[in-house]
Amino acid sequence: MQEIRNTMKRLILIFKALSCAIILVAQAPSHLTTDLIEHTDRVFLDGYPSTVTLAELGKTVERYQIAEIRSVKPHLGWVVNSERQNTLQTAYRVLMASSPELLAIDSADVWDSGRVESDNSVAVLFTGKLLKPSTNYYWKVKIWDNHGLESAFSAVRGFRTAATLDNATARYPLQVSDEYPVAIKQLADRLTFIDFGKAAFGRLQLTLTTDSETDTVIVRLGEKLKDGRIDRNPGATIRYSEYKLPVTAGTHTYAVKIRPDARNTNTAENVSGVKPMLMPDYTGEVTPFRYCEVENCDAPTATQVVRRMVHYWFNDAASAFHSSDSVLNQVWDLCKYSIKATSFTGTYIDGDRERIPYEGDAYINMLSHYGVDREYSIGRHSCEYMIEYPTWPTDEMLTLVLAAWADYLYTGNAVSLRRYYEDWKNKTMLALRESNGLISIYTGKVTPEFLNMIHFKEYRIDDLVDWPHPGGFGGVMGETDNFVFTDYNTVVNALHYRTLVVVAMMAKTLGYTAEYEYYTREAEYVKRQFNRLLFDAKRGVYKDGVATDHASLHANMYPLALGLVEDKNVASVGAFIRSRGMACSVYSAQQLLDAVYDSEDAEYGLQLLTSTSDRSWYNMLRAGSTITFEAWDTKYKLNQDWNHAWGAAPANIIPRKLMGIEPLEPGFRRIRIKPQPASLRHAEILTPSIRGDIRVSFDNQTGESFAMTAEIPANAVAEVWLPLPTSSGKYTLTVDGVAVKGKIMSKFVVIEVGSGKHSFDIR
């Protein structure tokens, strides 16, 4: 018996020793990225991820695609992993080699960074030997943390450089995903109806059996239903197409070649010098469709009908959201899927009718994409493309500067800011300033020299505000809330102000102290003049312009969203905004929701998100779409399409504003979590960041208590804003079971926490 006890004691000691050894080793980094691309070692064969390795390139007979690195000095990134709270990286070591075999023995013939004392894990500049074109490289990384722990090396990640190293943004090739029907129904003899569950851009493949050499099968594809059949005359730019497919006796597999559309594939068509985005040869032309009808043959089975969806690299599991409101859940699903489905050209575009990149569309698309997936290359590429190929609206061009700054906040990678800094300055349109401090395109300063400076290739730019304008497209009422266009436009000047603020922050980031001070002064001057000339103090609202007394929703929500409204006027401006309802398009709904949530009017924000009126996201679902519309309904825009990502604002508003998760410092080094639940009882979200996953869940007993859990990724800290349960200002707060005091800010109690899992309870 004593021997058994001694053996047990020895085993316990061994277990404790092993436990200590495990505790004393930090987890290895993961999710390695090179120039923001994680899956640099993935080889595609005509859009399909394959088994081919980087080392096998050049030895395959198939046509392959890869995400080539085009930088001479790429930036590397990784996710720091730790189960401990309050973990920060304190140092790293990167090894890069010409083969994985060298890395296996911790040898590096390209770069050994040595131990570098730094918390940077999102944008580490490569400073090793000069990279060669068309060459494979491999790297791994280890880190040290503030607990005194050293990690093992990460798994090895490989990448291949491009034939020309021009420092352009790296991009994934387009991916093809085979999808099968969710329902097949026999409508009549030799007539089959097929539903893929959601619309997607793709092609169709059919396996059919026939005993005739002369049969012709009719294939119909469409986005919309009417009386249980594909609507053959859906109106607007909702897609329907029909194909005649000659078949051969026996069982054969057929590919339906999609006919190109005359407008969205015509490179001779020129809108401000911007041409439609064309599909690559390895995917072929695509069309958006959810439904298919096959006529004049026996019914195919579910495995004999394949839709080959084309999209940019997308991780469906990177984000998730669920709440106690079923409408809100459906709106989230609609908008998240819209981001994936509309990525089919590899550049953010305005929808299938034109397939042209517009700056304002891209801003909404980018924020939404960054809210649902840890993928940043398509957003950055789209921004950089539109520097050289701007579109005609003044306000859209200004919005591009906001998109560039949002990209930096989400990635922590300043390459694009530095490389295009002069362009970002020019895009503020400061050259159009008049003596009153405002800018105008109508006072003679839009010269050929100015247009060349902003890379505009046509002869005229114009103010947009929103789209369509009244009377356009068959006499629709328009979406501008009867905005009165004058020489000095309130919306345009609100955006101009914000671009000056952003460029000042860019200058500070890049170390240009004098320019930071200059643009800060210019922004402050514009703000003073803007409020002096455009704010009607008697009514407590902003006018549409200097030479009009008309006040629209747009003239008020833009200043509120962009930081121009003085604190004393927020209440009156907010009240006016509420009085106008959703008197804007799906495009400007982004600014409306930003304004509403930034002014902490959470109940109205929730009301807008969950509305079931005809001017709502739910109306798109009710109409039968699974991708967001270009307009609230066809009656509001007679040529609208059913696949427009500018309508997907809730994909970013829900994580950024309702759940309150935003980067306070670039690359999510510092995170704000400021949930605004209003009357929403419960919600939980998984949202990605460049540093790792962020999870937030709350239970809200309005007026009584608010309980929340949050998981903060390692190497980050969070500023947490907890809504006060009552208006008295009195509260009891516990964090991880310990009573604490925070700082009261408006309707919130603010505290700071480090990484890891935390629980909060305020009542």
Side-chain angles (χ1 to χ4, degrees):
M1 183 63 69
Q2 184 61 40
E3 185 177 345
I4 292 174
R5 292 194 186 99
N6 291 338
T7 301
M8 291 297 294
K9 288 180 180 179
R10 286 195 296 271
L11 289 173
I12 290 171
L13 290 172
I14 292 170
F15 177 77
K16 288 182 176 179
L18 289 172
S19 298
C20 290
I22 292 170
I23 291 172
L24 293 175
V25 176
Q27 296 181 44
S30 62
H31 297 286
L32 277 61
T33 59
T34 306
D35 279 351
L36 300 176
I37 299 284
E38 180 173 351
H39 303 284
T40 48
D41 51 2
R42 175 63 71 182
V43 179
F44 295 79
L45 297 182
D46 284 347
Y48 291 95
S50 74
T51 60
V52 179
T53 66
L54 291 178
E56 294 174 302
L57 295 183
K59 302 173 185 176
T60 62
V61 298
E62 296 89 354
R63 179 171 48 182
Y64 66 82
Q65 304 85 37
I66 58 173
E68 295 178 320
I69 299 303
R70 302 173 67 174
S71 301
V72 176
K73 292 185 176 182
H75 283 77
L76 310 177
W78 53 85
V79 169
V80 176
N81 298 295
S82 177
E83 296 298 326
R84 291 189 172 197
Q85 289 187 344
N86 307 316
T87 296
L88 296 172
Q89 175 187 294
T90 58
Y92 65 81
R93 182 187 179 194
V94 174
L95 299 181
M96 187 177 293
S98 58
S99 74
E101 290 76 20
L102 285 172
L103 291 181
I105 57 173
D106 292 345
S107 181
D109 60 344
V110 178
W111 187 38
D112 182 346
S113 69
R115 175 170 169 152
V116 179
E117 303 298 320
S118 170
D119 66 354
N120 185 6
S121 61
V122 299
V124 172
L125 180 65
F126 166 80
T127 58
K129 293 181 180 179
L130 190 66
L131 299 186
K132 300 176 182 178
S134 302
T135 303
N136 296 337
Y137 294 96
Y138 304 85
W139 68 284
K140 63 182 182 179
V141 61
K142 70 187 318 184
I143 65 103
W144 289 261
D145 68 24
N146 58 324
H147 305 301
L149 303 183
E150 176 183 353
S151 80
F153 273 108
S154 67
V156 173
R157 180 72 74 189
F159 67 87
R160 185 172 180 82
T161 53
T164 301
L165 299 180
D166 56 6
N167 295 316
T169 294
R171 301 163 62 198
Y172 285 107
L174 294 177
Q175 183 176 341
V176 179
S177 297
D178 286 354
E179 300 179 320
Y180 297 90
V182 299
I184 295 181
K185 183 179 180 181
Q186 195 75 21
L187 297 180
D189 183 40
R190 296 170 67 80
L191 175 60
T192 306
F193 173 82
I194 300 162
D195 181 3
F196 287 94
K198 292 183 177 180
F201 284 83
R203 299 168 292 159
L204 188 71
Q205 178 180 289
L206 293 167
T207 299
L208 303 175
T209 300
T210 181
D211 57 5
S212 172
E213 291 283 346
T214 59
D215 282 351
T216 297
V217 172
I218 306 299
V219 178
R220 302 183 184 94
L221 304 175
E223 294 180 280
K224 186 172 179 286
L225 286 185
K226 182 179 181 181
D227 301 327
R229 296 285 301 274
I230 297 177
D231 192 340
R232 301 189 194 183
N233 187 27
T237 314
I238 305 166
R239 295 305 188 189
Y240 168 77
S241 54
E242 184 175 307
Y243 299 88
K244 293 182 178 180
L245 175 63
V247 294
T248 305
T251 300
H252 301 281
T253 298
Y254 303 89
V256 177
K257 184 186 184 306
I258 303 302
R259 289 188 296 270
D261 179 83
R263 181 170 187 179
N264 64 30
T265 60
N266 183 2
T267 57
E269 183 173 343
N270 193 308
V271 180
S272 306
V274 183
K275 298 176 182 179
M277 298 288 101
L278 301 182
M279 301 304 298
D281 57 359
Y282 63 86
T283 68
E285 188 50 68
V286 294
T287 191
F289 67 98
R290 171 180 174 177
Y291 306 107
C292 172
E293 290 177 3
V294 182
E295 185 174 358
N296 203 27
C297 69
D298 293 336
T301 66
T303 58
Q304 292 176 318
V305 184
V306 182
R307 180 176 64 187
R308 293 184 165 176
M309 178 185 184
V310 178
H311 58 91
Y312 202 70
W313 183 274
F314 194 88
N315 179 7
D316 296 281
S319 63
F321 173 79
H322 184 76
S323 77
S324 53
D325 191 299
S326 61
V327 171
L328 187 63
N329 298 338
Q330 293 176 72
V331 169
W332 163 265
D333 290 340
L334 168 73
C335 295
K336 174 183 173 179
Y337 177 71
S338 298
I339 299 305
K340 177 181 181 179
T342 58
S343 66
F344 67 100
T345 68
T347 304
Y348 293 151
I349 57 167
D350 66 335
D352 191 48
R353 184 180 61 257
E354 294 181 310
R355 297 191 187 178
I356 287 175
Y358 282 82
E359 298 93 333
D361 302 38
Y363 178 57
I364 300 169
N365 206 331
M366 171 191 284
L367 287 175
S368 298
H369 203 152
Y370 292 3
V372 300
D373 197 9
R374 189 176 179 268
E375 206 304 299
Y376 310 102
S377 60
I378 185 174
R380 176 164 292 190
H381 159 74
S382 298
C383 265
E384 293 173 351
Y385 177 86
M386 284 179 283
I387 293 172
E388 293 290 336
Y389 298 99
T391 56
W392 59 268
T394 321
D395 14 359
E396 295 246 5
M397 283 189 271
L398 289 162
T399 304
L400 189 65
V401 183
L402 277 56
W405 183 249
D407 173 69
Y408 173 56
L409 283 178
Y410 275 77
T411 65
N413 184 310
V415 169
S416 196
L417 300 190
R418 188 176 299 278
R419 185 177 186 188
Y420 298 102
Y421 178 63
E422 292 301 318
D423 287 304
W424 303 132
K425 291 196 298 183
N426 292 339
K427 296 282 186 180
T428 66
M429 300 194 181
L430 191 56
L432 299 181
R433 176 177 293 177
E434 290 294 340
S435 58
N436 62 5
L438 304 181
I439 65 169
S440 175
I441 61 172
Y442 304 114
T443 56
K445 292 192 174 181
V446 180
T447 62
E449 292 75 21
F450 171 76
L451 295 177
N452 182 65
M453 185 173 68
I454 61 172
H455 305 291
F456 192 73
K457 299 170 181 63
E458 286 292 292
Y459 65 95
R460 180 182 176 182
I461 60 177
D462 213 343
D463 294 345
L464 179 73
V465 173
D466 209 340
W467 195 254
H469 289 179
F473 304 105
V476 296
M477 65 184 70
E479 296 284 40
T480 61
D481 195 25
N482 295 315
F483 188 93
V484 175
F485 287 83
T486 64
D487 284 355
Y488 298 99
N489 181 318
T490 300
V491 169
V492 167
N493 276 282
L495 286 163
H496 168 60
Y497 161 75
R498 190 61 191 170
T499 64
L500 294 173
V501 173
V502 163
V503 168
M505 292 186 289
M506 289 180 179
K508 185 177 182 180
T509 299
L510 300 175
Y512 304 147
T513 303
E515 296 212 354
Y516 163 70
E517 294 172 350
Y518 169 75
Y519 282 102
T520 298
R521 287 194 304 271
E522 294 303 308
E524 290 171 349
Y525 173 61
V526 170
K527 185 173 184 176
R528 288 195 302 271
Q529 292 299 98
F530 186 95
N531 283 302
R532 186 177 71 83
L533 296 170
L534 296 170
F535 186 71
D536 184 336
K538 185 177 293 186
R539 291 184 293 167
V541 298
Y542 287 91
K543 305 177 296 180
D544 295 350
V546 171
T548 179
D549 289 327
H550 185 265
S552 64
L553 171 64
H554 299 72
N556 286 270
M557 68 186 182
Y558 271 84
L560 188 55
L562 298 173
L564 281 152
V565 182
E566 297 177 359
D567 290 345
K568 64 182 180 180
N569 298 323
V570 168
S572 64
V573 172
F576 179 79
I577 287 172
R578 286 192 298 276
S579 75
R580 302 306 301 151
M582 190 68 88
C584 63
S585 78
V586 294
Y587 167 61
S588 288
Q590 174 73 53
Q591 298 292 345
L592 172 59
L593 286 163
D594 273 334
V596 167
Y597 276 104
D598 286 350
S599 61
E600 298 177 356
D601 192 359
E603 193 59 52
Y604 187 50
L606 184 62
Q607 178 184 325
L608 292 172
L609 287 170
T610 59
S611 171
T612 58
S613 73
D614 63 351
R615 301 179 73 84
S616 71
W617 287 275
Y618 187 79
N619 188 56
M620 304 177 192
L621 294 162
R622 185 165 49 213
S625 185
T626 56
I627 307 175
T628 48
F629 287 1
E630 184 183 3
W632 297 119
D633 197 273
T634 300
K635 64 185 177 184
Y636 298 117
K637 192 173 190 297
L638 302 183
N639 70 339
Q640 76 143 334
D641 59 40
W642 271 23
N643 42 67
H644 225 88
W646 82 345
N652 75 75
I653 291 294
I654 289 172
R656 290 174 56 243
K657 301 301 181 182
L658 192 153
M659 301 302 287
I661 304 168
E662 293 186 275
L664 280 179
E665 293 181 9
F668 280 86
R669 175 64 182 82
R670 186 177 178 86
I671 305 165
R672 179 170 59 205
I673 300 178
K674 183 184 179 182
Q676 297 194 58
S679 58
L680 189 64
R681 299 301 295 270
H682 171 76
E684 53 188 322
I685 194 167
L686 160 66
T687 192
S689 83
I690 193 78
R691 290 180 188 265
D693 294 339
I694 302 169
R695 288 179 168 86
V696 174
S697 174
F698 68 70
D699 286 297
N700 174 40
Q701 303 297 321
T702 307
E704 297 179 12
S705 65
F706 182 82
M708 184 176 80
T709 60
E711 294 183 35
I712 314 301
N715 209 28
V717 296
E719 183 181 279
V720 179
W721 294 54
L722 298 161
L724 283 164
T726 66
S727 59
S728 68
K730 297 180 180 179
Y731 69 92
T732 301
L733 171 64
T734 60
V735 179
D736 299 331
V738 178
V740 299
K741 282 289 183 181
K743 181 180 180 181
I744 294 181
M745 297 283 288
S746 182
K747 306 172 185 177
F748 298 84
V749 176
V750 183
I751 59 170
E752 184 171 296
V753 297
S755 67
K757 299 179 182 179
H758 299 280
S759 62
F760 309 86
D761 187 277
I762 185 168
R763 58 187 65 236

